[in-house]
Amino acid sequence: MADTFDNPNDTIPIGRKLLKLNWLVLLLLGLLAGIGIVALYSVAGGSFTPWAERHAMRFIAGMGGLLLIAVIPLTFWLRLAYPSYLIGLGLLALVPVIGIEAMGARRWLGVEALRFQPSEVMKIALIVMLARYYQWLPKEKVSRPVFVVIPALAILLPVALTLKQPDLGTATLFAIVGFGLMFLAGVSYWYFVISGAAIIGAVPLVYSLLHDYQRKRIEVFLNPETDPLGSGYHIMQSKIALASGGLTGKGYGQGTQAQLDFLPEKHTDFIFTMIAEEWGFFGSLGVLAVFALLLLTLTGMALATRNRFGRLLIGGTMLSLFVYVFINVAMVTGLVPVVGVPLPLVSYGGTSMTTFLFAFGLAMCGYVHRQRAYRRQDIGALW
């Protein structure tokens, strides 16, 4: 019999909550992390250190966190939605003032050994905040201008603060995921058509406001041969590796571009290129198939979720995953300019893995409590 929780405390036993998890999602997450471990082992020349071992340990710890997040009552995340957004916004505002500068950008807070990017906090907080906003907003009000302006401003504030760091890639991700969630919440498509036309019209102005290195990226994207040993080096080496892999690849651990260090950032942003060189077109297509199956499974989870908050948590995770995978693959194949976007769960990086597994924990929490129809009085005060 279905569990229809009319108790706001969601007192279902933890054991039954674990049974309600989508185990296919957990299996696919493990498969992607496993692909990352195998690839990182090859990148290191047949050694688990320094990357593969750490990647595995981080995934195991992150999965423990995912399971913990999934069994926490959904009302906890509902109450935390607005405070977490304000905290994330405050941390982003502090970055230009007291942030740590590295490689010409100021994106970190903390000290050298214990630093973090507030933008990673905001990636989660923005999804939770927007899901909370639309939880009780009647469908007939979703597209009214006043109720469209509020979430739009909530999205544009972190976008503006992130651009100030400067971090165009993360700002773009905020915008795509945020406005994508508004679309999933039922906002009229005319707002997006008009906004899209306005953005296209503003391209010359935006280009004139870009930093020199950002303009350089675009110019090199259009013609990498103009600077083959400088800004165009990454994408040219990536294309060489992709082409040399052919249909079946050069063989595991035999990729010359990666093993001879011609391919830069081969363990992080360009790991998909390394996989394509060693595993070939069919191998890289298999990796994309795993991501596609994961996205389809998340779609099914969202459709099965009764409450809007949980459904949008799943939708936000799905959007984030799609955007990251699309931009990373498009970047290494030369379809979009090079930006610092890793391949989720495959690329080496503790911050990226932690953020995604936290997001999947929230999505799983929404799915575990999918049959609960929350009422405003169940949550109490705004916070």
Side-chain angles (χ1 to χ4, degrees), residues 75-95:
T75 49
F76 175 81
W77 304 114
L78 267 164
R79 294 189 183 100
L80 198 62
Y82 293 150
S84 64
Y85 174 80
L86 292 176
I87 291 170
L89 205 61
L91 292 173
L92 280 177
L94 286 175
V95 171

Side-chain angles (χ1 to χ4, degrees), residues 74-335:
L74 200 60
T75 49
F76 175 81
W77 304 114
L78 267 164
R79 294 189 183 100
L80 198 62
Y82 293 150
S84 64
Y85 174 80
L86 292 176
I87 291 170
L89 205 61
L91 292 173
L92 280 177
L94 286 175
V95 171
V97 181
I98 61 172
I100 300 170
E101 186 171 349
M103 295 181 290
R106 195 182 293 269
R107 301 173 185 173
W108 295 267
L109 288 178
V111 295
E112 290 299 328
L114 297 171
R115 61 182 185 176
F116 70 100
Q117 287 185 266
S119 58
E120 297 296 327
V121 177
M122 182 53 74
K123 287 175 184 177
I124 302 294
L126 183 61
I127 293 173
V128 180
M129 177 268 172
L130 290 172
R132 167 71 189 263
Y133 176 80
Y134 286 110
Q135 166 65 15
W136 292 290
L137 188 64
K139 291 183 178 180
E140 62 272 13
K141 294 183 178 181
V142 166
S143 294
R144 292 183 184 177
V146 65
F147 296 107
V148 172
V149 169
I150 294 172
L153 288 175
I155 296 166
L156 292 175
L157 278 172
V159 167
L161 289 171
T162 308
L163 285 173
K164 196 174 179 64
Q165 294 179 4
D167 188 352
L168 181 60
T170 301
T172 302
L173 290 170
F174 283 150
I176 295 175
V177 173
F179 289 114
L181 268 178
M182 290 179 64
F183 181 79
L184 291 179
V187 175
S188 172
Y189 69 90
W190 281 111
Y191 285 101
F192 303 98
V193 172
I194 295 170
S195 298
I199 290 171
I200 293 172
V203 166
L205 175 62
V206 172
Y207 184 80
S208 67
L209 297 174
L210 291 177
H211 292 266
D212 290 339
Y213 81 92
Q214 292 171 335
R215 292 184 193 177
K216 188 70 173 179
R217 282 183 178 178
I218 295 174
E219 292 168 3
V220 170
F221 160 66
L222 295 174
N223 187 9
E225 288 78 12
T226 57
D227 191 10
L229 298 178
S231 300
Y233 181 80
H234 288 66
I235 190 60
M236 288 193 66
Q237 294 300 323
S238 180
K239 287 181 176 180
I240 291 170
L242 287 167
S244 64
L247 290 176
T248 57
K250 291 183 174 180
Y252 184 60
Q254 303 301 313
T256 53
Q257 293 299 111
Q259 300 299 334
L260 297 179
D261 289 330
F262 288 108
L263 183 66
E265 306 296 337
K266 55 184 179 290
H267 64 298
T268 53
D269 296 348
F270 284 84
I271 196 168
F272 184 78
T273 304
M274 193 281 298
I275 291 172
E277 183 185 23
E278 295 191 354
W279 303 1
F281 174 77
F282 295 128
S284 54
L285 194 64
V287 174
L288 293 180
V290 177
F291 279 114
L293 181 56
L294 183 55
L295 288 168
L296 286 173
T297 306
L298 287 170
T299 302
M301 288 169 56
L303 292 174
T305 302
R306 181 180 175 188
N307 62 83
R308 197 185 300 182
F309 181 69
R311 190 159 59 245
L312 289 177
L313 286 181
I314 299 169
T317 302
M318 179 178 64
L319 278 171
S320 296
L321 180 67
F322 173 78
V323 170
Y324 265 81
V325 174
F326 175 81
I327 291 180
N328 179 271
V329 175
M331 174 186 73
V332 302
T333 54
L335 297 178

